[in-house]
Amino acid sequence: REIDLTYRKFEPRGLLQAKVNLAGKKISVFNTHFGLKHWERKFQSRRLYDEITNDIYDCAFVFGDFNEWMGWSRNLKWLEQSFRNVPR
């Protein structure tokens, strides 16, 4: 499934989702590439959160380029607080 994460008229961005049933476990895998502007990434991280929390999984994995270069980024902190086991 492809989810549009494009913010206004900036470069098109997206979120891809694959749902897998593995040994009776419902697993979802997401892949994304966030934008370059802070407010664009804020919008995209909120949409990512909404997409992940709209369904029930036994496990979900999120991979991608979040274009966050500083460990103190508010968007990274928010994502880390929203999910557990968030290695960079």
Side-chain angles (χ1 to χ4, degrees), residues 37-75:
K37 305 287 185 200
H38 169 75
W39 55 87
E40 184 181 13
R41 294 190 307 272
K42 181 178 180 180
F43 167 81
Q44 292 160 342
S45 61
R46 295 327 188 251
R47 288 276 293 127
L48 168 65
Y49 178 83
D50 290 345
E51 288 298 328
I52 292 174
T53 58
N54 277 339
D55 205 346
I56 298 172
Y57 317 101
D58 293 304
C59 186
F61 296 92
V62 180
F63 301 94
D65 181 348
F66 294 90
N67 277 319
E68 295 287 0
W69 307 281
M70 306 297 181
W72 46 262
S73 157
R74 283 189 212 159
N75 289 324

Side-chain angles (χ1 to χ4, degrees), residues 4-88:
D4 184 22
L5 293 182
T6 305
Y7 180 75
R8 297 187 182 172
K9 293 184 180 186
F10 287 93
E11 182 178 352
R13 300 291 178 165
L15 175 66
L16 298 176
Q17 178 187 24
K19 292 182 178 182
V20 180
N21 189 323
L22 184 63
K25 300 286 184 183
K26 188 175 176 184
I27 299 170
S28 203
V29 180
F30 295 89
N31 185 41
T32 192
H33 187 182
F34 282 3
L36 298 175
K37 305 287 185 200
H38 169 75
W39 55 87
E40 184 181 13
R41 294 190 307 272
K42 181 178 180 180
F43 167 81
Q44 292 160 342
S45 61
R46 295 327 188 251
R47 288 276 293 127
L48 168 65
Y49 178 83
D50 290 345
E51 288 298 328
I52 292 174
T53 58
N54 277 339
D55 205 346
I56 298 172
Y57 317 101
D58 293 304
C59 186
F61 296 92
V62 180
F63 301 94
D65 181 348
F66 294 90
N67 277 319
E68 295 287 0
W69 307 281
M70 306 297 181
W72 46 262
S73 157
R74 283 189 212 159
N75 289 324
L76 276 182
K77 295 270 188 220
W78 185 80
L79 285 171
E80 288 172 348
Q81 291 170 358
S82 300
F83 302 104
R84 59 187 168 104
N85 300 325
V86 186
R88 287 189 221 159

